[in-house]
């Protein structure tokens, strides 16, 4: 019988019988506390938050683990299995009989939980009111401890008892002038420890832009600082490594550090850990399963949700074949990779660095945006390889329902068009029956508040579009699709065939030049590169930096007369606009490299209020005065589009008031603006 101690820590050790084939061997639940002080969520009631650690032991010889890079070099226990562990948190109804039967697994982003903020709007507990069991687990080992980040404890690969060594690349861009900076992509990530030889032979270069020639910084002009981080009762698996450069590190410049490192982490076990935790929660009917209710798992279904890096994790998870557990059963019944773009990640490689992504200005050539890009099969024009994200899942008959959601920013920053075109960008791809693609137009990578905010540097206001209400409707549609076979809302994305997916240059895109606004002369376009002869088969990079061979072709949603995007799923703020919403934003002068894209950001450019203002400024877009007869006309159109989203299944009826508040707020802001004048 499980002991409960609300408000205090306790210790439960749940054992999985050693003869069982599943790879989760033990789940230690170390605390169980009321969530949000016991708040009641609709008919579901209060929730409780469980925290602990999952322990795994996997067989390197099992076919289900064949894709884990360097698993054969990991230490083994007496049974010949590779052991590892991960932080786990589970948020579940206090009365499991009130759960809706589905686990929503939130793939944490660099150790941080995102699902609650993406689906709950701050005034409600949407996920809890729906009865979802929400689960998290650590899947990245390079994360530094602290701030409650979820971490994977993974084995280190060795060969003949000696540390494996190899060249690695680190790259960073600082947004301010400084003397010292972490070589990791984020400050809360560790980096692989250099060997003694690596410290002597390391190469540090700098360049202004990605395509510029690298300029060497002499060895005597830089110093490396290493520090093991201790926080949250644990030590970091990798040290925090910072570079100090004589004369300082300049804002906006790309610094590239290539050195010999040692001790590659078998990072791919993080994907196996996700697989085996979800399989355990779904299928184990013993009392050791924390979501067990009356002798049966309360999790009949499992949905994976990931934002940005976490969405790329889901794509890699599917591509590497992890959606079949060790017994061949389906793991995720449905997935929502959100704002992942066309990439996967540096997640399951030798010397993997999962926190890195590819962007136009920095970290451009790490192995994240690599073929295949589409869910169905396409042909790589440079190698002739035929492949698709769902190929292994299809072969194993474990294809989940997929809702790929992205914003217009992903077309500029994350090669989003390659999700639904061939790699050469010449035609629309065939989308599998189990896949839906939703492009949210007029939005940036991260959700805005809904209201323009003029603060901050740059030529434009940052894009304010709040797309989160759409995610709520799509999640429930995914649930109905999986449980009941109810077809979800149709895919909405720009297409080559109807002219809404176009070239990104100003002349091709339909963009109308605007005064004091620079249209980008760059875009993120994935490179096809040579990383050495061992990359394709073993995922080992031996050519640093990689040798550029060619590029894949990307496109963007075309612009209308208002410089807003066509062919997309759009919210009423964009459909009934008061300005132009872009998926791109150039780096402000203050942070350097001002001709390059500010990673993942979009902008907002308001319309002229009157025709006189428009003519005086030289703005080519129709003014607000010429668009609407008055506020009532604007609000009527706004509400009509909102209602159409509900009717088509992209918005919930309960979220109509939340969306309409944005229209009503315009009247208040307009009144204040006139009063100031």
């Amino acid at each position: 019988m499980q002991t409960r101690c609300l408000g205090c820590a306790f210790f439960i050790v749940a054992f999985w019988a050693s003869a069982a084939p599943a790879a989760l061997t033990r789940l230690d639940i170390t605390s169980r506390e009321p969530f949000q002080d016991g708040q009641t969520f609709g008919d579901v009631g209060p929730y409780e938050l469980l925290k602990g650690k999952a322990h795994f032991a996997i067989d390197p010889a099992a076919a289900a683990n064949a894709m884990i890079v360097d698993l054969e070099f990991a230490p083994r226990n007496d049974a010949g299995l590779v052991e590892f562990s991960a932080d786990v948190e589970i948020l579940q109804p206090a009365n499991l009989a009130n759960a809706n039967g589905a686990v929503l697994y939130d793939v944490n982003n660099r150790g941080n939980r995102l699902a609650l903020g993406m689906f709950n709007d701050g005034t409600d507990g949407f996920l809890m009111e729906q009865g979802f069991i929400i689960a998290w687990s650590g899947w990245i080992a390079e994360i530094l401890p602290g701030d409650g980040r979820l971490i994977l404890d993974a084995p280190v690969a060795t060969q003949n008892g000696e540390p494996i060594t190899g060249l690695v690349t680190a790259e960073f861009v600082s947004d301010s002038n400084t003397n010292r900076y972490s070589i990791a992509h984020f400050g809360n990530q560790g980096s692989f420890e250099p060997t003694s030889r690596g410290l002597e032979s390391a190469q540090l270069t700098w360049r202004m832009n990605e395509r510029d020639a690298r300029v060497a910084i002499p060895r005597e002009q830089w110093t490396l600082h290493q520090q093991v981080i201790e926080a949250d009762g644990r030590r970091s698996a990798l040290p925090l490594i910072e570079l100090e450069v004589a004369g300082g590190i300049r804002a906006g410049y790309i610094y590239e550090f290539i050195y010999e490192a040692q001790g590659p982490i078998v990072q791919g076990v993080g994907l196996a850990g996700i697989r085996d935790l979800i399989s355990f929660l779904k299928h184990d009917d013993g009392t050791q399963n924390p979501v067990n209710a009356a002798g049966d798992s309360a999790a009949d279904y499992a949905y994976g949700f990931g934002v940005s890096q976490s969405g790329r994790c889901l794509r890699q998870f599917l591509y590497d074949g992890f959606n079949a557990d060790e017994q061949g059963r389906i793991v995720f019944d449905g997935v929502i990779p959100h704002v992942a773009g066309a990439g996967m990640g540096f997640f399951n490689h030798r010397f993997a660095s999962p926190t890195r992504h590819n962007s136009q200005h920095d970290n451009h050539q790490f192995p994240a945006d690599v073929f295949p890009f589409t869910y169905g099969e396409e042909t790589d024009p440079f190698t002739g390889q035929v492949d698709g994200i769902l190929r292994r899942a299809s072969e194993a008959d474990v294809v989940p329902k997929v809702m790929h959601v992205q914003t217009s920013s992903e077309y500029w920053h994350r090669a989003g068009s390659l999700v639904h075109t061939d790699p050469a960008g010449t035609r629309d791809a065939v989308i599998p029956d189990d896949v839906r693609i939703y492009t949210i137009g007029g939005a940036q990578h991260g959700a805005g508040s809904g209201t323009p905010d003029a603060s901050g540097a740059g030529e434009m206001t940052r894009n304010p579009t709040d797309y989160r209400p759409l995610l709520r409707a799509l999640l429930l549609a995914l649930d109905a699709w999986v449980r009941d076979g109810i077809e979800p809302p149709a895919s909405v994305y720009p297409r080559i065939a109807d002219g809404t997916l176009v070239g990104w240059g100003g002349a091709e895109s339909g963009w109308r030049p605007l005064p004091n606004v620079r249209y980008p002369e760059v875009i993120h376009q994935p490179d096809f590169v040579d990383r050495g002869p061992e990359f394709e088969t073993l995922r080992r990079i031996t050519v640093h930096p990689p040798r550029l061979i060619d590029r894949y072709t990307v496109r963007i949603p075309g612009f209308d007369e208002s410089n807003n995007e066509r062919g997309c799923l759009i919210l009423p703020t964009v459909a009934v606009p008061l300005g132009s919403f872009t998926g791109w934003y150039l780096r402000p002068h203050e942070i350097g490299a001002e001709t390059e894209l500010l990673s993942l950001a979009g902008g907002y450019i308001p319309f002229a209020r009157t025709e006189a203002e428009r003519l005086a400024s030289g703005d080519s877009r129709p003014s607000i005065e010429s668009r609407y007869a008055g506020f009532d006309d604007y609000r009527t159109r706004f509400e009509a589009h909102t209602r159409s989203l509900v009717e088509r299944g992209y918005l919930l009826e309960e979220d109509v008031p939340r969306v309409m508040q944005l229209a009503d707020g315009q009247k208040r802001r307009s009144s204040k603006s006139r009063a100031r004048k």
Side-chain angles (χ1 to χ4, degrees):
M1 181 176 177
Q2 216 172 49
T3 304
R4 290 178 179 264
C5 181
L6 299 179
C8 63
F10 66 104
F11 190 72
I12 296 175
V13 181
F15 289 97
W16 194 313
S18 59
L24 192 153
T25 59
R26 195 173 85 244
L27 183 59
D28 299 342
I29 302 298
T30 55
S31 71
R32 183 191 298 258
E33 299 178 353
F35 180 64
Q36 293 188 354
D37 298 321
Q39 177 182 343
T40 296
F41 297 97
D43 295 335
V44 179
Y47 266 65
E48 54 185 9
L49 179 62
L50 286 63
K51 296 182 179 181
K53 179 166 286 191
H55 298 264
F56 306 88
I58 60 176
D59 184 357
N65 302 319
M67 284 296 295
I68 301 176
V69 172
D70 283 341
L71 186 61
E72 68 270 30
F73 299 118
R76 305 187 188 193
N77 63 18
D78 292 341
L81 305 179
V82 175
E83 298 180 348
F84 61 98
S85 62
D87 296 334
V88 171
E89 293 184 1
I90 299 173
L91 184 59
Q92 63 185 37
N95 181 355
L96 280 170
N98 292 337
N100 70 2
V103 167
L104 178 65
Y105 180 80
D106 178 19
V107 185
N108 70 79
N109 190 297
R110 299 171 175 88
N112 302 306
R113 309 146 193 81
L114 295 180
L116 297 184
M118 297 301 291
F119 291 103
N120 297 350
D121 72 356
T123 60
D124 66 15
F126 175 79
L127 291 177
M128 284 71 80
E129 291 167 1
Q130 297 296 325
F132 284 104
I133 297 168
I134 304 121
W136 300 267
S137 66
W139 65 279
I140 303 176
E142 72 172 331
I143 294 171
L144 301 178
D147 296 327
R149 288 185 286 270
L150 299 165
I151 298 176
L152 169 74
D153 296 309
V156 173
T158 60
Q159 199 162 12
N160 300 321
E162 297 294 327
I164 292 176
T165 63
L167 286 179
V168 301
T169 295
E171 185 176 291
F172 63 88
V173 174
S174 173
D175 287 343
S176 61
N177 294 327
T178 184
N179 292 321
R180 185 164 157 173
Y181 205 85
S182 169
I183 68 172
H185 188 40
F186 287 87
N188 60 2
Q189 320 299 317
S191 299
F192 288 103
E193 183 180 3
T195 63
S196 298
R197 181 174 58 188
L199 280 175
E200 296 174 0
S201 60
Q203 300 174 18
L204 177 62
T205 63
W206 69 328
R207 61 195 191 278
M208 171 57 81
N209 298 318
E210 168 60 31
R211 301 301 184 196
D212 292 347
R214 293 164 168 83
V215 178
I217 299 176
R219 179 65 183 86
E220 64 272 14
Q221 293 185 12
W222 57 266
T223 304
L224 207 64
H225 301 274
Q226 300 185 59
Q227 180 184 2
V228 174
I229 303 299
E230 296 190 17
D232 291 348
R234 69 200 307 166
R235 289 168 58 89
S236 60
L238 298 177
L240 170 65
I241 299 179
E242 297 176 311
L243 266 170
E244 183 177 359
V245 180
I249 292 168
R250 297 189 186 181
Y253 278 77
I254 301 170
Y255 290 82
E256 183 180 73
F257 187 54
I258 300 175
Y259 65 101
E260 182 183 75
Q262 59 189 342
I265 291 172
V266 187
Q267 172 59 46
V269 301
L271 302 178
I274 295 172
R275 174 196 68 192
D276 296 330
L277 173 64
I278 297 304
S279 179
F280 170 71
L281 295 178
K282 285 177 67 174
H283 299 297
D284 184 79
D285 58 5
T287 57
Q288 65 268 41
N289 185 349
V291 304
N292 175 272
D296 187 20
S297 173
D300 297 318
Y301 307 98
Y303 310 134
F305 174 74
V307 179
S308 191
Q309 177 221 32
S310 308
R312 292 187 290 112
C313 172
L314 286 172
R315 283 167 57 86
Q316 188 85 53
F317 183 93
L318 296 175
Y319 179 63
D320 281 356
F322 288 102
N323 209 43
D325 68 11
E326 288 194 339
Q327 297 181 52
R329 299 171 299 194
I330 190 169
V331 178
F332 288 119
D333 302 280
V335 296
I336 304 179
H338 176 56
V339 294
M344 289 185 278
F346 200 2
F347 303 143
N348 184 18
H349 303 70
R350 176 166 289 184
F351 289 111
S353 183
T355 62
R356 294 190 184 273
H357 70 270
N358 296 153
S359 71
Q360 180 270 317
H361 181 56
D362 66 299
N363 284 267
H364 184 73
Q365 290 189 334
F366 287 92
D369 295 348
V370 297
F371 181 85
F373 307 105
T374 53
Y375 290 95
E377 291 190 347
E378 286 290 341
T379 302
D380 189 326
F382 307 123
T383 67
Q385 178 187 6
V386 177
D387 212 347
I389 298 293
L390 293 175
R391 179 174 62 84
R392 290 185 177 89
S394 180
E395 292 171 351
D397 195 25
V398 291
V399 175
K401 306 298 186 187
V402 178
M403 286 184 168
H404 183 101
V405 186
Q406 57 189 20
T407 71
S408 34
S409 265
E410 276 65 68
Y411 290 80
W412 286 93
H413 303 282
R414 299 291 308 112
S417 63
L418 290 174
V419 173
H420 52 80
T421 72
D422 70 297
T426 61
R427 58 170 174 77
D428 298 310
V430 175
I431 308 303
D433 292 340
D434 289 321
V435 176
R436 297 291 184 274
I437 298 173
Y438 305 105
T439 294
I440 304 173
Q444 69 174 12
H445 187 79
S449 67
T451 303
D453 179 2
S455 63
E459 297 171 348
M460 301 183 288
T461 298
R462 292 291 286 273
N463 192 307
T465 301
D466 183 2
Y467 52 66
R468 289 173 295 179
L470 299 176
L471 293 180
R472 289 154 65 111
L474 292 177
L475 175 62
L476 296 192
L478 176 68
D479 188 42
W481 193 14
V482 169
R483 290 179 197 258
D484 304 315
I486 298 174
E487 288 290 315
S491 293
V492 183
Y493 58 90
R495 305 171 196 242
I496 295 173
D498 65 10
T500 55
L501 188 68
V502 299
W504 60 273
E508 303 169 90
S509 69
W511 176 264
R512 294 187 172 195
L514 296 175
N516 303 315
V517 174
R518 293 173 297 153
Y519 185 79
E521 297 180 6
V522 292
I523 195 170
H524 173 59
Q525 195 162 336
D527 293 338
F528 176 71
V529 301
D530 175 16
R531 295 187 171 91
E534 298 181 341
F535 181 76
E536 289 300 324
T537 55
L538 301 173
R539 292 189 182 170
R540 300 174 188 169
I541 302 173
T542 54
V543 175
H544 295 264
R547 184 175 65 88
L548 176 64
I549 298 174
D550 214 320
R551 302 177 192 172
Y552 298 98
T553 301
V554 299
R555 292 173 171 264
I556 63 167
F559 297 102
D560 63 17
E561 66 171 6
S562 299
N563 281 346
N564 282 315
E565 291 155 332
R566 300 182 293 126
C568 303
L569 176 62
I570 53 175
L571 284 150
T573 48
V574 183
V576 188
L578 297 175
S580 301
F581 298 77
T582 74
W584 52 268
Y585 193 102
L586 294 176
R587 290 173 61 89
H589 172 76
E590 293 82 356
I591 66 173
E594 58 197 87
T595 62
E596 309 302 284
L597 296 180
L598 181 63
S599 184
L600 306 178
Y604 174 73
I605 312 160
F607 298 144
R609 186 167 295 279
T610 66
E611 277 296 288
E613 290 176 5
R614 182 186 74 78
L615 292 171
S617 67
D619 194 330
S620 60
R621 302 165 300 166
S623 66
I624 294 175
E625 178 183 70
S626 68
R627 291 170 182 271
Y628 309 110
F631 175 76
D632 289 343
D633 178 35
Y634 165 77
R635 191 184 190 282
T636 297
R637 297 192 208 179
F638 194 102
E639 184 173 17
H641 187 80
T642 302
R643 289 293 174 189
S644 75
L645 290 175
V646 175
E647 292 168 5
R648 291 180 289 152
Y650 301 108
L651 187 70
L652 300 176
E653 177 67 34
E654 68 188 73
D655 286 329
V656 169
R658 172 184 176 183
V659 173
M660 289 304 301
Q661 284 179 357
L662 298 176
D664 294 333
Q666 291 294 343
K667 186 173 186 178
R668 293 190 296 272
R669 283 186 289 275
S670 178
S671 299
K672 290 180 180 179
S673 176
R674 287 194 296 270
R676 285 195 295 269
K677 291 180 180 180

